[in-house]
Amino acid sequence: MRITGYTDYSLRVLIYLSLQGDRLATIQEVADRYGISKNHLMKVVHQLTRKGYLDSVRGKKGGIRLRLSPSEINLGVLVREMEPDLNLVECFGPDNTCVISPVCSLKGVLGEALNAFLATLDRYTLADIVTEGDAPQLIRLLNIPVEESAAAE
């Protein structure tokens, strides 16, 4: 199973913002810290805001921050919401034209694997992947000034 870059960027934005506490961060700041496209992140942030994960404040002193606490953000739910299509193979979708579908057992095996993948993600929240022990290292790797980070509080 491979998640899309879109979902990967969604997770990265949430990780970054979880280290910020209530401080507003800009999309440009997040893009710069990860070395990724601001334009692509704008789409990701828009959807995360629309889905209730982020607050967005407009204006010169505006920015983005988590709307929910990290412990309220379930990774399985997030992946399901951000992934456009979890159909691993053609026969999962409505436009299946595979000629062996009526007798092929692969769909069941892959469905079981997908369910196991999602069940694992369902056991974790954003708080689980941004633990207190990892926060200082994440802050250092993302070059977040300590006075700006939530971990400094």
Side-chain angles (χ1 to χ4, degrees), residues 134-146:
D134 292 340
Q137 293 172 350
L138 289 167
I139 290 166
R140 183 180 51 76
L141 289 169
L142 290 169
N143 199 26
I144 299 171
V146 175

Side-chain angles (χ1 to χ4, degrees), residues 105-117:
S105 298
L106 183 59
K107 180 178 180 179
V109 172
L110 291 175
E112 184 179 337
L114 175 61
N115 289 336
F117 174 78

Side-chain angles (χ1 to χ4, degrees), residues 4 13 25 71 112 127:
T4 61
V13 166
S71 63
E112 184 179 337

Side-chain angles (χ1 to χ4, degrees), residues 5-14 16-17 24-31 34 36-57 62-67 78 82:
Y6 194 86
T7 301
D8 178 24
Y9 288 177
S10 299
L11 289 163
R12 291 189 207 193
V13 166
L14 295 174
Y16 186 85
L17 294 177
L24 291 170
T26 66
I27 295 171
Q28 184 66 60
E29 173 187 336
V30 177
Y34 282 114
I36 55 182
S37 162
K38 177 186 174 190
N39 290 335
H40 195 63
L41 267 190
M42 287 173 64
K43 296 173 191 170
V44 169
V45 166
H46 176 72
Q47 185 162 0
L48 287 170
T49 302
R50 225 174 34 83
K51 296 220 177 255
Y53 290 100
L54 303 181
D55 281 326
S56 178
V57 178
I64 53 174
R65 67 177 154 231
L66 290 180
R67 178 177 290 167
L78 176 78
M82 301 309 283

Side-chain angles (χ1 to χ4, degrees), residues 86-108:
L86 288 171
N87 294 337
L88 297 180
V89 288
E90 178 186 344
C91 60
F92 278 39
D95 298 330
N96 179 24
T97 60
C98 180
V99 296
I100 65 170
S101 288
V103 295
C104 182
S105 298
L106 183 59
K107 180 178 180 179

